Amino acid sequence: RNGELREIPGEELVVGDLVLFSAGDRVPADIRLTKVTDLFISQAAIIGESAILEKSSRTLGYGSPETLTQLENLAFMATTVISGKGEGIVLAVGKDTLYGSFTKPDAEEKTSFQQGANSIAWVMLRFIAVLIPFVFILLGITGGKWLQSFAFALSVAVGLMPEMLPMVITACLARGSLSMSRKQTIIKDINAMQGFGSMDVLCMDKTGTLTNESILLEYYMDVLGNESGEVLDLAFLNSIYHSGVRNPIDNAIRSCQTMPGREVHFAQLLAGHQKADEIPFDYARKIVSTLVTAPNGENQLIMKGDIAHVVSRCGYVAYRGKVLPMEDAKESVSSVVDEMLQDGMKVIAVAQKNVGQQNQINPADEADMILVGYLAFFDAPKNTAKVSIEALKRLKVTPKILTGDQTDVAVSICRRVGIPSETVLTGGELDKMTDSKLSAAVENVHVFSELTPGQKVRLVSALEQNGHTVGFLGDGINDIPALCEANVGISVDTAVDAAKDAADVVLLQKDLGVLEQGILEGRKTFTNMLKYIKITASSNFGNILSIVCASAFLPFLPMTALQLLLLNLLYDVLCIILPWDNVDEEETLSPRDWSGKTLGRFMLSFGPISSLFDIATFLFLYYVLCPMLCGGMTYLHLTDPALQLQYVALFQTGWFLESMWTQ
């Protein structure tokens, strides 16, 4: 802005600002690109498809037939930069953007918190709809004063509602989110506290959650498992030159340049090989390819990634200087790789081919590659992982692993930390299943491997349709669709910006122990909110029931409308302390349901208990106390209007005090 580079909140952007972004960023506005370097963007947020598009800054002709989202020189708000970097001028912000035009307040899907609140409100409204006409007609018939009866019936309706509900709930949520921040958990959306309290399934990736954030490169080997420096050199060039989001594998490979005695070798390698082009990592392809120019002027295509995806693009294998057809080596490839996978190692394949003077590549070039070898990484479980998984199970939260890694690696890690892994569902198997079969499978399977982002979304959606409240813990770009789909999206402070934007909750430490504390705090908050609703609604119902009973037999109102409203006000003011109330341990041992399902039953069973005390009080006041202070006679035998007024005032005051005490 004004020629000065500064970092500002996205809300402060204006048309004409020049914005710079790189891999992992979320585009903050609709932007006309003016400069790009290997820029690839996922437009899943606006078109719902996981395909990744390459963007350019060239000028397009007016006759361009593409739809708006296909224009390659525009980047749209809420889309995600997968790799490369770019800059451009802001064309539109806020609701003027393409993404902004999608979001209409009346079309927004209600959150589970709002649905629960609506459920509770409907229970109260049904009680009111029954009681108002009943009280009005009963008082009108017995007393004959219809206007007074109508005013009292309205006060009964007001008295039945928990007036402080918005304030008490907000206080509970605010105090809960403050307590959670002290336990390394930041609540971005205060309504997500409810989701924390009722969450019964937690879906997560294993990397960085069950395993350490950083992994170690253990072996670099040729196709038969012998150590091979060439494989490491090719992988190093691929990792150093691709512009996508850095992941633990890239970091482990790049760290080799600091190995004692190898600094000069890798420096010379970089000096002799220059980047020409790349095809960035794609969570559907699961590979990344870079084109580098060797010292002899020839261009070399280097590919690394998931073993199955790399091998499927290879027609040959290289072994000790010879290039052999892939058919002759397939069994050897499987035996070397399977052994390492069963040991719990993460293994990727490296392939290459010379493309002569070709200085640009596209996916069609990723064919007939030469398989050079493998890299094996040790992905050790965290020391705390097993304890944390056991703690989640105690809290009746079922952990499920949704990972893009190979099946053998996922099974090895899950077995060590105590997650059932006898049955595993892969992404390929999932695609062949109908929705009904998947709904049954997600209940019994706890480990899902080799998944794409779209498959993670489908799994989360299937769990939700089965009636579960689902949390999803993720930190990568590939996790964003699932974070948005889950009831509670949970990310971590070290996640990419777009993932943190999509999440409802951000953990300051990527540790399930922190999440366990958050769940406990969420349930305490949730329990205190339910306490207020249950005790207030049931005691108010008890009072109203007492009034209905008394009105049928007493020749006057048992309490004035003003006293009834004052009683509720005083009682609700006292309820403000509930957010700070202690919670019994058994209340936090299982997920809590935020709805009005049990509220009506609780009101009908607990409310009449207070009515028993009220009726006993009526009898005492009517036959004992009031006659004692008003000439020894009951109300119907009094002829003096002043004594009648005194009798009614004593009765109403007595019941007001008793109601306050019993509440």
Side-chain angles (χ1 to χ4, degrees):
R1 186 178 282 177
N2 300 325
E4 180 189 344
L5 183 62
R6 63 175 85 163
E7 189 171 320
I8 63 169
E11 308 88 69
E12 295 178 15
L13 279 176
V14 295
V15 174
D17 277 340
L18 186 68
V19 175
L20 284 71
F21 40 83
S22 58
D25 292 341
R26 177 175 279 194
V27 179
D30 284 357
I31 289 171
R32 165 64 165 93
L33 298 168
T34 55
K35 184 179 177 183
V36 301
T37 307
D38 293 318
L39 181 65
F40 287 80
I41 286 181
S42 166
Q43 298 189 157
I46 54 173
I47 62 175
E49 297 174 7
S50 58
I52 294 169
L53 304 178
E54 184 173 11
K55 296 289 184 175
S56 78
S57 56
R58 68 188 181 91
T59 304
L60 302 177
Y62 283 107
S64 182
E66 292 99 337
T67 60
L68 189 63
T69 54
Q70 291 175 310
L71 297 178
E72 62 187 52
N73 59 2
L74 294 182
F76 299 100
M77 180 180 179
T79 59
T80 305
V81 182
I82 298 298
S83 66
K85 53 188 176 182
E87 57 184 71
I89 295 168
V90 174
L91 297 181
V93 295
K95 292 192 175 179
D96 295 332
T97 62
L98 182 63
Y99 182 75
S101 67
F102 296 158
T103 54
K104 296 177 182 175
D106 56 345
E108 285 179 359
E109 188 180 345
K110 286 185 169 63
T111 64
S112 55
F113 181 83
Q114 292 167 322
Q115 289 169 349
N118 286 353
S119 167
I120 290 165
W122 275 110
V123 171
M124 304 306 296
L125 287 171
R126 286 191 200 102
F127 274 96
I128 287 172
V130 172
L131 282 171
I132 284 188
F134 186 73
V135 172
F136 172 59
I137 293 168
L138 184 67
L139 291 177
I141 292 171
T142 55
K145 299 176 180 176
W146 291 97
L147 193 60
Q148 188 182 8
S149 300
F150 181 69
F152 192 77
L154 283 180
S155 70
V156 164
V158 174
L160 188 62
M161 290 301 290
E163 291 91 347
M164 288 284 189
L165 183 60
M167 182 175 178
V168 171
I169 284 182
T170 305
C172 282
L173 293 174
R175 185 189 173 274
S177 60
L178 192 63
S179 298
M180 289 175 81
S181 68
R182 297 193 190 105
K183 295 178 179 178
Q184 308 289 298
T185 305
I186 303 300
I187 304 295
K188 282 178 57 192
D189 179 2
I190 203 166
N191 290 347
M193 289 287 294
Q194 178 269 332
F196 250 44
S198 54
M199 181 170 69
D200 61 339
V201 174
L202 176 65
C203 299
M204 56 191 162
D205 195 354
K206 65 172 191 58
T207 307
T209 309
L210 300 180
T211 60
N212 293 306
E213 194 74 52
S214 57
I215 59 177
L216 300 173
L217 175 60
E218 289 284 319
Y219 306 112
Y220 37 94
M221 65 201 93
D222 62 21
V223 289
L224 291 185
N226 305 305
E227 187 172 309
S228 169
E230 182 194 3
V231 173
L232 180 58
D233 290 348
L234 291 171
F236 178 76
L237 288 170
N238 180 288
S239 289
I240 210 84
Y241 281 137
H242 89 75
S243 58
V245 179
R246 297 292 171 206
N247 58 42
I249 286 179
D250 286 313
N251 294 336
I253 295 171
R254 286 158 62 97
S255 67
C256 292
Q257 63 187 320
T258 60
M259 288 164 57
R262 302 296 297 272
E263 297 97 331
V264 175
H265 169 75
F266 285 111
Q268 290 172 345
L269 192 68
L270 281 177
H273 294 78
Q274 301 301 315
K275 177 182 175 181
D277 197 12
E278 74 170 312
I279 302 174
F281 183 79
D282 179 331
Y283 288 101
R285 293 163 60 246
K286 294 188 178 179
I287 54 174
V288 56
S289 297
T290 52
L291 185 67
V292 297
T293 305
N296 61 6
E298 292 255 323
N299 286 339
Q300 188 179 24
L301 173 58
I302 305 170
M303 175 196 293
K304 79 173 192 303
D306 177 79
I307 290 171
H309 288 75
V310 171
V311 169
S312 69
R313 289 167 170 80
C314 290
Y316 308 93
V317 296
Y319 180 66
R320 294 188 176 176
K322 296 179 182 177
V323 176
L324 307 168
M326 174 59 78
E327 289 76 21
D328 299 346
K330 270 194 174 174
E331 286 186 19
S332 303
V333 168
S334 299
S335 60
V336 171
V337 170
D338 291 348
E339 189 177 339
M340 290 185 291
L341 291 176
Q342 284 163 9
D343 289 338
M345 288 191 168
K346 185 191 286 281
V347 185
I348 64 169
V350 180
Q352 66 87 28
K353 76 173 179 180
N354 293 322
V355 293
Q357 300 302 311
Q358 183 180 335
N359 57 12
Q360 281 191 323
I361 52 174
N362 58 55
D365 296 316
E366 296 175 325
D368 291 327
M369 301 288 293
I370 302 169
L371 180 65
V372 182
Y374 319 104
L375 300 175
F377 304 83
F378 188 55
D379 204 9
K382 287 182 177 177
N383 295 331
T384 58
K386 190 166 187 176
V387 176
S388 299
I389 291 295
E390 289 302 320
L392 286 174
K393 289 178 180 176
R394 278 199 307 275
L395 293 173
K396 305 288 194 306
V397 176
T398 305
K400 292 186 184 285
I401 301 300
L402 278 56
T403 180
D405 280 346
Q406 294 107 326
T407 301
D408 287 335
V409 176
V411 168
S412 174
I413 297 293
C414 292
R415 196 182 295 128
R416 294 184 216 177
V417 298
I419 294 177
S421 53
E422 294 78 20
T423 309
V424 181
L425 196 62
T426 64
E429 293 167 342
L430 190 145
D431 281 339
K432 297 172 186 173
M433 300 177 79
T434 62
D435 288 344
S436 58
K437 282 186 179 177
L438 183 62
S439 292
V442 292
E443 294 297 324
N444 304 314
V445 180
H446 297 275
V447 182
F448 303 87
S449 62
E450 301 171 24
L451 300 176
T452 63
Q455 289 166 341
K456 290 183 180 181
V457 171
R458 193 178 169 206
L459 285 167
V460 170
S461 177
L463 285 163
E464 288 175 347
Q465 286 167 11
N466 284 358
H468 295 288
T469 301
V470 183
F472 185 88
L473 174 58
D475 62 351
I477 290 171
N478 60 323
D479 295 321
I480 292 170
L483 283 168
C484 297
E485 177 67 27
N487 299 114
V488 190
I490 307 164
S491 192
V492 290
D493 196 32
T494 53
V496 297
D497 289 345
K500 286 191 283 189
D501 286 346
D504 304 307
V505 178
V506 177
L507 307 180
L508 298 183
Q509 292 178 22
K510 193 166 186 181
D511 190 340
L512 289 179
V514 173
L515 189 59
E516 177 206 345
Q517 291 299 314
I519 291 171
L520 280 171
E521 200 59 51
R523 288 183 184 174
K524 286 179 183 176
T525 301
F526 198 47
T527 300
N528 282 337
M529 284 158 49
L530 288 173
K531 270 183 200 173
Y532 172 75
I533 294 165
K534 282 188 171 183
I535 63 176
T536 306
S538 59
S539 68
N540 285 357
F541 176 68
N543 274 352
I544 305 311
L545 190 63
S546 302
I547 287 170
V548 171
C549 294
S551 302
F553 299 102
L554 291 175
F556 52 82
L557 291 174
M559 191 184 292
T560 65
L562 187 62
Q563 280 178 316
L564 190 59
L565 296 175
L566 180 62
L567 176 69
N568 274 357
L569 177 65
L570 292 172
Y571 173 65
D572 280 343
V573 167
L574 293 177
C575 286
I576 293 172
I577 64 161
L578 274 176
W580 290 266
D581 194 24
N582 291 324
V583 175
D584 295 334
E585 188 181 353
E586 58 263 28
E587 295 288 341
T588 63
L589 292 180
S590 59
R592 317 299 296 171
D593 184 30
W594 171 247
S595 74
K597 288 178 189 171
T598 60
L599 180 60
R601 197 161 60 245
F602 189 87
M603 289 169 66
L604 289 170
S605 60
F606 201 79
I609 294 174
S610 67
S611 296
L612 294 176
F613 287 89
D614 291 336
I615 292 167
T617 304
F618 292 161
L619 294 171
F620 172 74
L621 290 171
Y622 192 82
Y623 290 109
V624 180
L625 186 64
C626 293
M628 190 190 303
L629 299 173
C630 297
M633 288 184 288
T634 58
Y635 180 83
L636 293 175
H637 295 97
L638 291 173
T639 53
D640 185 353
L643 279 176
Q644 284 183 334
L645 285 174
Q646 183 184 345
Y647 190 101
V648 171
L650 282 168
F651 187 98
Q652 290 172 338
T653 305
W655 189 45
F656 175 84
L657 293 172
E658 183 269 342
S659 292
M660 191 73 237
W661 174 67
T662 54
Q663 280 200 319

